[in-house]
Amino acid sequence: MVKVGDTLPDLDVLVESSPGNKVNLAKELKGKGLVIGVPAAFSPSCSETHVPGYIKHKALKDAGDVFVVAVNDPFVTKAWGLTLDPDQKSGVRFLGDPSGKFTEALDLAFDGTAIFGGNRSKRYALVIEDGKVKEAHVEPDNTGLNVSKAEKVLG
């Protein structure tokens, strides 16, 4: 599992808004940032509490570049982002990990077949500094909402 000191995977598998718009977080996050991983776009905890907690948090502006990653296609993550942040004022970017390869490279995938129909991402928040993990907040039960809450990560 990803840990403090690890570098972000150098992969061109994440997508933003469309399949052709690839995002490589190892290249994109050079300074300060946050990667928030969720089991599923539009799921209740992700949509009602987890991600909105970051979007509305007073310290979000100090977090650097912020990305939400879900094992979903880019059309779903784009629609979800517009639902949660319709004016796109927060600066949070929503990325799809359709193949799950980014999530697997972090060793944060779990078998979510019973609920989500296939492998999904554990819920997490990674504080990134200069391309390395400074803090790793990974939910021990995969989908719970405790250690990765905005209040615990951003203060």
Side-chain angles (χ1 to χ4, degrees):
M1 184 165 35
V2 66
K3 62 188 178 313
V4 172
D6 287 353
T7 57
L8 287 173
D10 188 1
L11 298 170
D12 293 314
V13 296
L14 297 175
V15 286
E16 185 174 27
S17 301
S18 73
N21 191 14
K22 304 277 188 200
V23 176
N24 183 325
L25 288 182
K27 294 177 180 158
E28 190 85 22
L29 269 172
K30 291 297 182 190
K32 210 160 99 168
L34 190 59
V35 180
I36 303 160
V38 298
F42 290 105
S43 67
S45 292
C46 301
S47 296
E48 296 166 10
T49 308
H50 194 212
V51 176
Y54 284 94
I55 290 172
K56 296 173 185 172
H57 200 285
K58 65 183 185 298
L60 180 68
K61 290 176 177 55
D62 299 326
D65 296 323
V66 180
F67 299 88
V68 173
V69 177
V71 179
N72 287 107
D73 65 68
F75 309 113
V76 168
T77 52
K78 178 182 179 182
W80 188 44
L82 290 171
T83 299
L84 295 178
D85 189 13
D87 299 326
Q88 300 177 332
K89 290 182 180 176
S90 72
V92 173
R93 294 170 61 186
F94 290 78
L95 307 178
D97 183 11
S99 66
K101 294 208 182 300
F102 179 81
T103 300
E104 289 169 7
L106 291 172
D107 195 21
L108 292 174
F110 76 96
D111 182 359
T113 304
I115 299 168
F116 303 114
N119 284 348
R120 292 298 175 130
S121 173
K122 295 180 179 196
R123 187 181 309 280
Y124 67 87
L126 303 177
V127 177
I128 307 299
E129 208 166 274
D130 299 323
K132 292 188 187 264
V133 177
K134 183 179 176 187
E135 297 173 29
H137 304 266
V138 181
E139 295 295 344
D141 66 350
N142 300 335
T143 61
L145 185 52
N146 181 16
V147 300
S148 66
K149 284 174 112 173
E151 297 80 14
K152 294 202 175 173
V153 176
L154 298 175

